[in-house]
Amino acid sequence: METWRDLILAPGGTRGEASPPTVAKAVNIGLALVLMIALVWVCLVSLHFNGSVVWDYRVDLFKGWVVTLEITAVALVLSTVGGFLLALCQRSFVLPLRYFAKVLVEIVRCTPLLVLIYLLWYGLGGALGIGNDWRYVMGVLTISLFEGAYISEIFRAGIESVGKTQIESARAIGFTRAQTYRYVIIPQAFRQVLPPLVGQLVSLIKDSSLLSVMAIAEFTQSAQQASSINYDNLETYFALAVGYLVLTIPISLWSRWLEQRFKYET
Amino acid sequence: MKLSLQEVVKRFGSHTVIDRVSLEFDGAHCLALIGPSGGGKSTLLRLVAGLEYPSGGAVVLNDKRIEYHDEALLRHRRSIGTVFQAFNLFPHMTALKNITLPLEKVHGRTAEEARDLAEGTLRRFQLLDHAQKRPAELSGGQRQRVAIARAIAIKPQVVLLDEPTSALDPEMTAEVLELIEELKQEGRDLLLVTHEMGFARRLADRVALLSEGRIAEFGPPEQIFGAPESEATKGFLRRVLRY
């Protein structure tokens, strides 16, 4: 019976310090997956799931999926650059800049994305007379701002994780402030920042589904459109979930892998 | 080295750490600052290093008054080598890169010159085998020796050492102290804050004992350790030499 114990309980018991053997890991991950799939299966069968209706809308759905990819790719660059600049501003010795960045980050992080989208599109967009042509641009900017606020906090934490003694050393050597950032702070902060930054990309992909309320024809919007015609909500949203998971799960695993790797190197 | 402190004051908030300290050091190479913790030794060294701004008074190093504003301080810091208690090196770079980076980026050497200089210094300190290692792969003593090599490589007018062995075990302390002694024998100018009384006694040309932000006694080591005059010195030496 010793082998059964090994499969179910982690070595070291409640201390739980060692990671379980590969076989036990595989068996338990498999078990979890089987349970999940069984649950989904029961639901699908009892609701008479008919996959073929989704197949009819495959082109529209695929187009939406690609738009989601595009939005995510552009927003990834914008939110990373924006988040980095906001993090630098938060540490600036120019006080208006510092506090503008701090207030902006706090407000954006504490506002639901859906509300932010409505406010910026109907409120700010309406006030500035931003028309239909700029719908996608506004959508991408809104989500970049939202994710950028979180990313700036990731960067700020990374910068602050670099010890005071390191900055002191850089000063003693005679580095300028810019040189200190370039050669000392950023390279060290980078390894702290990379895993959570990649993790934030998962949020970005998921959050982009809310842009559907702006009538942007991304993945969620295309699924909504399909289901409003065929009334097969279950099948369409099931396909939607799969489409997102295909993107997010590999990235999430990548983030975890990076976390492990950098943990052992330091 | 010529160091002149004129009525130097340093306050942190309402707390006075350095209280109108004056001192004239001239015609010798090594000045050691000793005294109880919180007495102001490290703060005084940091003022000379240009890492702190004094609240009053003047610091004159080698006939040049240190100007305490950003640009002048940057130039000043570039002309001296400072070694702290620990964590001097940048952990994401090899020992060699730790030395070449300031040579290239601060002192305008070419990559080749910087490498030659750095390797030469490492070789002299028997550290060349460790040139490609990162700080995490070095022992505490090796790390401090590399840090000293980095400070020397820029050809500083003076080397400031702020408790360079306080974070080390006795064996590593010995290897670092030996290296500092070598520097002294080469005729380099050193300002040393230390808790190693025997070392200060043997190495220093002059010793200043700081207590409660004031210089309790200043003189040659024979006087400070052999025939101290002030009560503060006598009390301090009694406490540290008891064990």
Side-chain angles (χ1 to χ4, degrees), chain A residues 165-176 179 182-185 187-188 191 265-266, chain B residues 46 50-51 74 77-78 80 82 84 87-93 101-102 105-107 150:
Chain A
T165 48
Q166 287 288 305
I167 293 162
E168 188 84 336
S169 252
R171 282 180 75 207
I173 281 170
F175 277 158
T176 61
Q179 285 176 324
R182 172 148 176 222
Y183 299 115
V184 180
I185 298 178
Q188 288 187 66
R191 23 179 61 229
E265 269 186 16
T266 41
Chain B
R46 292 167 57 78
L51 293 166
L74 194 64
R77 288 190 209 115
R78 288 172 172 183
I80 55 180
T82 308
F84 303 104
F87 310 114
N88 288 284
L89 301 179
F90 302 127
H92 56 295
M93 296 172 196
L101 187 73
K105 304 303 173 190
V106 176
H107 300 278
R150 180 171 74 181

Side-chain angles (χ1 to χ4, degrees), chain B residues 164-227:
Chain B
T165 60
S166 291
L168 301 177
D169 64 33
E171 207 176 325
M172 293 177 183
T173 298
E175 80 181 56
V176 173
L177 294 184
E178 271 166 33
L179 176 55
I180 296 171
E181 200 163 4
E182 263 178 56
L183 299 183
K184 169 78 194 300
Q185 282 157 5
E186 286 175 5
R188 285 182 194 278
D189 288 336
L190 308 173
L191 173 60
L192 172 72
V193 169
T194 187
H195 289 295
E196 303 285 338
M197 291 306 136
F199 186 64
R201 182 175 195 164
R202 196 169 78 225
L203 194 77
D205 300 312
R206 289 284 182 282
V207 176
L209 187 134
L210 268 97
S211 176
E212 293 171 3
R214 314 223 54 175
I215 292 188
E217 196 160 346
F218 174 57
E222 305 80 48
Q223 175 200 327
I224 303 282
F225 293 102

Side-chain angles (χ1 to χ4, degrees), chain A residues 57-69 217 219 222:
Chain A
Y57 292 90
R58 63 186 182 279
V59 177
D60 291 337
L61 286 174
F62 183 71
K63 274 186 190 159
W65 190 78
V66 170
V67 171
T68 285
L69 268 186
F219 196 30
S222 63

Side-chain angles (χ1 to χ4, degrees), chain B residues 101-142:
Chain B
L101 187 73
L103 285 170
E104 284 179 45
K105 304 303 173 190
V106 176
H107 300 278
R109 304 290 188 136
T110 66
E112 221 164 58
E113 287 173 339
R115 209 193 49 233
D116 287 350
L117 260 169
E119 284 182 348
T121 315
L122 286 173
R123 188 177 301 117
R124 230 174 63 215
F125 296 168
Q126 282 101 50
L127 287 163
L128 196 57
D129 292 345
H130 306 298
Q132 294 306 326
K133 291 185 188 165
R134 288 176 190 226
E137 301 168 271
L138 299 172
S139 74
Q142 289 166 341

Side-chain angles (χ1 to χ4, degrees), chain A residues 221-233:
Chain A
Q221 165 82 5
S222 63
Q224 280 170 345
Q225 219 131 52
S227 69
S228 68
I229 300 166
N230 61 21
Y231 297 107
D232 290 314
N233 289 317

Side-chain angles (χ1 to χ4, degrees), chain B residues 62-89:
Chain B
N62 292 336
D63 294 324
K64 212 174 145 218
R65 182 176 167 154
I66 301 174
E67 291 171 64
Y68 287 93
H69 62 82
D70 285 351
E71 240 173 84
L73 278 185
L74 194 64
R75 276 199 304 278
H76 172 67
R77 288 190 209 115
R78 288 172 172 183
S79 75
I80 55 180
T82 308
V83 177
F84 303 104
Q85 188 174 333
F87 310 114
N88 288 284
L89 301 179

Side-chain angles (χ1 to χ4, degrees), chain A residues 37-58:
Chain A
I37 291 169
L39 186 66
V40 171
W41 190 257
V42 168
C43 293
L44 295 184
V45 168
S46 74
L47 290 166
H48 309 290
F49 182 82
N50 175 12
S52 64
V53 292
V54 175
W55 188 246
D56 298 338
Y57 292 90
R58 63 186 182 279

